[in-house]
Amino acid sequence: MTPTHAPAGHPSIPPAKTGILIANLGTPDGYDYWSMRRYLNQFLSDKRVIDIPNWKWQPLLQGIILTKRPFSSGKNYKLIWNEELNESPLLTITKAQTEALRARAHAEWGDQVMVEFCMRYGNPSTQEVLERMVAAGCRRIVFLPLYPQYAGATSATANDELFRALMKQTWQPAVRTVEPYVNRPDYIKALAGSVRRALNGEVPKKLVASYHGMPKRYLMQGDPYHCQCQKTSRLLKEELGWPDGIIDTTFQSVFGREEWLRPYTVEHVAELARQGHTEIAVISPAFASDCIETLEEINGEIRESFEEAGGHEFTYIPCLNEDPAHIEVMLNVVRDNIAGWVR
């Protein structure tokens, strides 16, 4: 529409609204070599993920890693690929989460809000979605990276990408970035509910809470991720009413030669089996959506490590995904951050 009192020829301006933009990690467009190479190149070139100087890292990345790894990663993605929709499970789930959140947000705020999602790596890109939201009239945006625990390699890099996209806007919207929701009671209750359902209310002898790993060096530099993961496990134990010693906090997806946060999940589950814990459950509280790290790594490599060491029963508890309790958490987080922007 043309603004009131605007001179003749003034460009049309859409009615102002508030945007809700959720961000997930990302996904390749396919599991073929070139799709995997593009995705891995973007992911592994991120300084928040790999902070080795370019002169040392890029020759290794471009000359060796990106020559071989797209083949092995592609095979793993093929095992879990949603062939019906020709997309990764992460994309399928993020779409479902967005649709559910959109329905709840529109029921509460009507056409005052616009709900979209973007990916830090791959498509739809943060820049592409931000441009679409601005063009649709979003003058204010609540930005929600789907990471309960803060880490430089997750929450911060998602914010970085948003800020880079904002730099290209002639008319920048106001933006509120959401803080970690690690200790929100509704998030902890949603996690506990998923555990109770998966285990039929029974208390296991061991529940392994497996979080994505990071170099130990990042912790020593001040990244709060490790502490927030420990807090999640503690709060989950308290919400479930379980005694100490049942939940073990571990870290997966180790990459490279330096020491990462320990214990490593793949080693820990094998040690549990050798100690006689032949029945365990595993949950991944750091992931808002099931993805390659949960559907293939946990249910593949980590399960195999447990079984090869003598384990018999391995129960994987899915991520919260589009569970109504999870959507309620997301909506509550948005409510807290959208205050004063909508009626």
Side-chain angles (χ1 to χ4, degrees):
M1 70 178 185
T2 302
T4 305
H5 308 303
H10 192 286
S12 177
I13 298 176
K17 60 183 66 176
T18 298
I20 301 167
L21 178 55
I22 65 176
N24 217 327
L25 178 72
T27 171
D29 295 326
Y31 50 76
D32 59 282
Y33 175 83
W34 289 109
S35 294
M36 289 304 311
R37 183 176 178 116
R38 284 192 300 272
Y39 175 74
L40 290 171
N41 184 45
Q42 186 183 14
F43 175 52
L44 297 176
S45 293
D46 185 349
K47 285 296 185 183
R48 291 279 194 179
V49 176
I50 306 290
D51 64 351
I52 300 172
N54 277 341
W55 66 268
K56 184 184 295 186
W57 174 242
Q58 283 299 322
L60 178 63
L61 177 64
Q62 302 299 330
I64 299 176
I65 296 173
L66 292 181
T67 299
K68 298 180 179 180
R69 187 156 179 174
F71 290 110
S72 58
S73 294
K75 288 180 181 178
N76 290 337
Y77 267 97
K78 186 176 181 180
L79 293 173
I80 64 167
W81 201 252
N82 184 338
E83 296 288 356
E84 181 180 353
L85 298 177
N86 190 28
E87 62 189 27
S88 75
L90 176 69
L91 181 55
T92 303
I93 293 167
T94 307
K95 286 179 177 178
Q97 291 169 324
T98 305
E99 290 171 2
L101 180 61
R102 181 182 293 128
R104 294 293 307 277
H106 284 176
E108 187 153 335
W109 299 300
D111 59 6
Q112 295 182 81
V113 298
M114 177 180 182
V115 182
E116 298 292 336
F117 77 94
C118 64
M119 297 293 184
R120 170 60 184 92
Y121 314 104
N123 295 305
S125 70
T126 304
Q127 181 176 331
E128 168 197 341
V129 179
L130 177 70
E131 290 177 351
R132 176 156 35 92
M133 296 179 79
V134 170
C138 291
R139 300 288 166 250
R140 298 163 170 168
I141 293 177
V142 173
F143 186 62
L144 170 56
L146 290 178
Y147 306 111
Q149 302 83 15
Y150 175 93
T154 54
S155 308
T157 192
N159 289 337
D160 291 346
E161 191 68 6
L162 175 68
F163 300 148
R164 280 190 286 267
L166 286 167
M167 290 171 65
K168 300 178 181 179
Q169 294 300 312
T170 301
W171 187 357
Q172 288 183 333
V175 171
R176 290 175 178 170
T177 58
V178 170
E179 67 179 347
Y181 49 99
V182 57
N183 57 349
R184 287 187 63 97
D186 50 3
Y187 162 65
I188 299 299
K189 287 181 183 298
L191 274 182
S194 72
V195 171
R196 292 191 183 100
R197 287 192 300 274
L199 302 179
N200 295 317
E202 297 183 4
V203 180
K205 292 184 178 178
K206 279 293 179 183
L207 172 66
V208 177
S210 180
Y211 298 83
H212 198 288
M214 70 162 50
K216 183 179 179 181
R217 172 170 50 87
Y218 291 9
L219 165 64
M220 306 314 293
Q221 292 170 349
D223 194 301
Y225 178 70
H226 178 266
C227 299
Q228 293 190 3
C229 292
Q230 298 288 350
K231 177 179 282 189
T232 298
S233 295
R234 175 176 59 80
L235 293 175
L236 176 59
K237 181 210 71 170
E238 292 172 0
E239 178 64 29
L240 289 167
W242 292 354
D244 293 342
I246 292 180
I247 299 180
D248 292 351
T249 298
T250 64
F251 300 89
Q252 64 182 86
S253 308
V254 177
F255 178 79
R257 296 182 179 179
E258 70 176 303
E259 183 176 2
W260 281 42
L261 299 177
R262 288 182 179 271
Y264 300 154
T265 305
V266 68
E267 296 176 357
H268 187 72
V269 297
E271 182 59 29
L272 286 176
R274 286 190 287 268
Q275 291 174 359
H277 293 287
T278 58
E279 299 177 5
I280 65 170
V282 180
I283 191 172
S284 300
F287 296 95
S289 318
D290 274 304
C291 54
I292 190 74
E293 286 85 0
T294 63
L295 299 175
E296 194 285 322
E297 184 179 1
I298 290 181
N299 258 334
E301 176 188 0
I302 291 170
R303 176 190 290 271
E304 290 170 6
S305 176
F306 175 70
E307 293 174 347
E308 288 173 0
H312 299 309
E313 187 172 330
F314 183 100
T315 301
Y316 171 63
I317 300 173
C319 296
L320 293 176
N321 296 327
E322 65 270 35
D323 183 273
H326 191 207
I327 303 304
E328 186 69 24
V329 174
M330 295 166 64
L331 183 65
N332 288 339
V333 170
V334 170
R335 280 194 188 108
D336 291 346
N337 287 272
I338 209 171
W341 277 4
V342 294
R343 294 186 301 275

